[in-house]
Amino acid sequence: MKLIAAMSGGVDSAVAAARAVEAGHEVIGVHLALSSNPQKYRSGARGCCTIEDSHDARRAADKIGIPFYIWDMAEEFHEGVVENFMSEYAAGRTPNPCLRCNEKIKFAAVLDRAKAMGFDGVVTGHYARTQINDQGKTLHRAIDPLKDQSYVLAVLTREQIDGAVFPLGDTEKVDIRKEAEARGLAVAQKPDSHDICFVPSGDNAGWLRDRLGSEVGPIVDQDGKKIGEHKGAYTYTIGQRNGLGLTVPTADGSPRFVLKIEPVSNTVVVGSREELAVTKMVGEKPIWCGPDALPGEHRGFVQVRAHGAPLDCTYFIEGDKLVAELDKPLLGLATGQAMVIYDKDRVVGSATICETA
């Protein structure tokens, strides 16, 4: 096959490209420039979108022996990921920009361009697996549970999964670094990226406050009694306990947690830990990573964070929504997060949480 290797400048994408070449594919390396001014994004060589990363990606491509190009995706990234991040927080939801980046940039924009250029698909360093069976090509968890990235890939459509190649899904990270050393790749011991790439300081609340303002608003209890003030409701997250700055303690001295964020009234609602409990989640705009979910109730697992535990659930379709009812309560679930349904290790699909109960 003719493949585009998306090369971030990190060890995973470098080894993925090398494996694709070894498998006999015709490969070219592409680094995605996600900002017209990389200095305003994360500093340091962290494996995503700095100047250093583009140099590391080029050196890896040279070592592997494949052509290398830089594609300017700054406009698409800002519109599809950065602006979405700001608007979701402004609406009182908690987004995951890595999901949006995979959906809008790494697979939608890149795969579309690759197909237009006559390529068959895109190879990346994500830790996930695909299988071809009587259901077509399906998405599955990686062998290494600590590195599994199927959660952030669950926004991919069947067509995008058909064009995706994940060579690392059957290998543990420690072995990838050893393989990179053996191949002579300079990025073998390069640290993994963790923070949001367009927030240089890692201070999400400060970054949002600089762009959305710092309008003071009330912090209230469940009865509506004001017990403190905040400087921007969007800088809080559901389940947050620390940094609330409350002026009225509870009668028994027990801690309070953020239960709700109301952006229209710029209000943060707090309450007890028990009031965080959720047993039902409703997701909008479902995406199926294989066959559409059949009518009726089904047993499976739901995951609501990138490295969160899989939670036993019953899931079903209700109108145009995906609903999951949990066997055991979950604490601190925010709207805007992704709910990903699994059938054992197979990704069934995902939706954006719009309601909890």
Side-chain angles (χ1 to χ4, degrees):
M1 292 193 296
K2 292 179 61 179
L3 298 174
I4 296 287
M7 302 184 70
S8 67
V11 62
D12 295 328
S13 60
V15 172
R19 286 188 174 188
V21 172
E22 273 193 356
H25 301 302
E26 180 182 340
V27 180
I28 69 167
V30 168
H31 179 78
L32 307 181
L34 302 182
S35 172
S36 55
N37 177 16
Q39 299 306 317
K40 72 181 181 182
Y41 284 2
R42 186 174 55 219
S43 60
R46 295 290 305 281
C48 194
C49 48
T50 66
I51 291 292
E52 297 99 314
D53 295 325
S54 65
H55 295 333
D56 287 342
R58 183 180 296 278
R59 283 190 286 267
D62 290 344
K63 184 67 177 179
I64 296 166
I66 58 176
F68 179 81
Y69 302 91
I70 295 177
W71 285 0
D72 182 0
M73 290 282 181
E75 184 175 341
E76 293 92 336
F77 182 78
H78 186 80
E79 291 179 359
V81 180
V82 180
E83 289 189 355
N84 173 265
F85 183 79
M86 289 190 289
S87 64
E88 283 292 282
Y89 265 107
R93 295 186 287 267
T94 302
N96 185 321
C98 294
L99 272 80
R100 295 287 81 80
C101 187
N102 283 327
E103 177 187 18
K104 303 292 186 182
I105 308 301
K106 293 180 181 176
F107 289 92
V110 174
L111 188 57
D112 285 349
R113 188 179 295 189
K115 293 284 188 179
M117 294 171 61
F119 285 82
D120 300 301
V122 174
V123 56
T124 76
H126 286 97
Y127 284 80
R129 295 177 297 131
T130 56
Q131 294 181 6
I132 298 177
N133 48 47
D134 56 3
Q135 297 177 319
K137 193 174 182 181
T138 51
L139 179 64
H140 296 256
R141 289 190 186 277
I143 294 298
D144 187 343
L146 297 178
K147 295 300 295 181
D148 174 55
Q149 291 175 292
S150 60
Y151 175 87
V152 296
L153 295 172
V155 291
L156 303 186
T157 64
R158 282 176 293 234
E159 292 74 18
Q160 290 168 338
I161 292 170
D162 284 342
V165 179
F166 305 123
L168 309 189
D170 62 352
T171 312
E172 295 189 355
K173 181 61 178 261
V174 63
D175 294 320
I176 292 298
R177 291 200 182 278
K178 291 177 182 177
E179 182 177 332
E181 288 275 15
R183 293 181 181 276
L185 296 170
V187 293
Q189 298 304 321
K190 185 176 179 179
D192 291 340
S193 57
H194 295 289
D195 301 326
I196 298 172
C197 69
F198 52 85
V199 181
S201 64
D203 178 12
N204 293 357
W207 188 91
L208 287 165
R209 195 177 292 116
D210 288 344
R211 287 154 181 79
L212 299 178
S214 301
E215 184 180 355
V216 174
I219 300 177
V220 303
D221 62 19
Q222 285 281 64
D223 296 324
K225 178 183 176 182
K226 181 178 176 180
I227 54 176
E229 286 187 341
H230 63 76
K231 295 182 180 179
Y234 47 79
T235 63
Y236 291 79
T237 57
I238 303 300
Q240 180 176 336
R241 172 185 174 181
N242 297 321
L244 301 183
L246 303 180
T247 57
V248 181
T250 55
D252 60 359
S254 60
R256 291 187 176 99
F257 300 80
V258 175
L259 303 180
K260 190 185 303 182
I261 299 166
E262 299 177 347
V264 174
S265 60
N266 195 31
T267 301
V268 174
V269 182
V270 298
S272 68
R273 184 175 187 272
E274 291 72 25
E275 290 170 306
L276 285 171
V278 167
T279 56
K280 177 181 178 181
M281 63 188 78
V282 180
E284 60 187 357
K285 300 177 181 178
I287 296 172
W288 306 113
C289 299
D292 288 359
L294 297 172
E297 296 185 347
H298 306 274
R299 291 292 296 169
F301 307 97
V302 62
Q303 189 170 321
V304 296
R305 296 179 181 88
H307 297 290
L311 308 169
D312 293 305
C313 73
T314 297
Y315 67 91
F316 53 91
I317 297 298
E318 192 172 78
D320 60 352
K321 302 289 197 302
L322 174 61
V323 181
E325 296 180 342
L326 303 177
D327 290 4
K328 297 179 180 179
L330 173 68
L331 298 179
L333 181 62
T335 58
Q337 292 177 246
M339 54 183 289
V340 176
I341 301 292
Y342 291 84
D343 177 5
K344 296 179 181 177
D345 71 353
R346 181 178 72 84
V347 181
V348 176
S350 69
T352 300
I353 298 170
C354 60
E355 180 185 340
T356 63

